[in-house]
Amino acid sequence: MKTWLDAWPVYRQLTGSDPLGRGKAARSKATENVVSRTATADRVVQSVCPYCAVGCGQRVFVKDEKIVQIEGDPDSPISRGRLCPKGSASKQLVTSPTRETKVRYRRPYGTQWEDLDLDTAMEMIADRVLDARRKGWQDEVDGKRVNRTMGIASLGGATLDNEENYLMKKLYTAMGAIQVENQARI
Ligand code: SF4
């Protein structure tokens, strides 16, 4: 029969099956009722941490079509279940209320950010790309044909994955750009 003494961890430790107080004896009632988000998720999706070039494997736990937890993937040969603090906090990349979900634009000499609709933003980018390509175009250098533009350069971030980098390199090369780099190599 349980007595008031059972609410006292030291008593449980001295009289129960957990003499070192590292398990049941140290657990409060509140802790007993806690269920991990990983246990109640609807499904688990394997992914790769987008924060840096190491590419640690992640398990993304989803409930009601929302990410509820991200943990290291023990099946990953790269990281074998581990994540650094950045990777452990990457759930916030998706769920943070401060995440930007609209195009923001600050005009030259402007002091405020403005919302811009996506179609307008894409048109503006296309105009700038064409203009920079034309202004920086070189047919020849030192008598040799080069057919390139020095008006466009790309510095990719480590959050880009292989497939994105592949497509970007194709795009920039097709436009005549030769200055294509990635932060992951710096
Ligand atoms: S968990 Fe850390 S080390 Fe691993 S990919 Fe993410 S940021 Fe890089």
Side-chain angles (χ1 to χ4, degrees), residues 66 72 82 86 103 107 151 171:
K66 292 202 171 76
R82 301 175 185 90
K86 286 193 297 176
V103 179
R107 296 176 185 282
L171 173 69

Side-chain angles (χ1 to χ4, degrees), residues 49 51-56 82-84 86-88:
C49 175
Y51 251 131
C52 90
V54 176
C56 298
R82 301 175 185 90
L83 291 177
C84 79
K86 286 193 297 176
S88 301

Side-chain angles (χ1 to χ4, degrees), residues 5-77:
L5 281 168
D6 285 298
W8 193 29
V10 175
Y11 177 78
R12 291 201 301 266
Q13 184 178 343
L14 295 176
T15 59
S17 57
D18 180 22
L20 296 178
R22 296 193 300 190
K24 217 170 152 214
R27 240 177 266 145
S28 70
K29 208 170 182 66
T31 306
E32 295 277 2
N33 293 329
V34 168
V35 181
S36 73
R37 290 188 292 274
T38 56
T40 55
D42 298 329
R43 60 195 168 95
V44 186
V45 182
Q46 283 186 304
S47 187
V48 176
C49 175
Y51 251 131
C52 90
V54 176
C56 298
Q58 292 186 322
R59 286 191 176 174
V60 182
F61 294 82
V62 181
K63 186 172 177 60
D64 298 331
E65 295 308 304
K66 292 202 171 76
I67 294 175
V68 290
Q69 179 70 3
I70 293 180
E71 301 210 336
D73 184 358
D75 290 339
S76 166

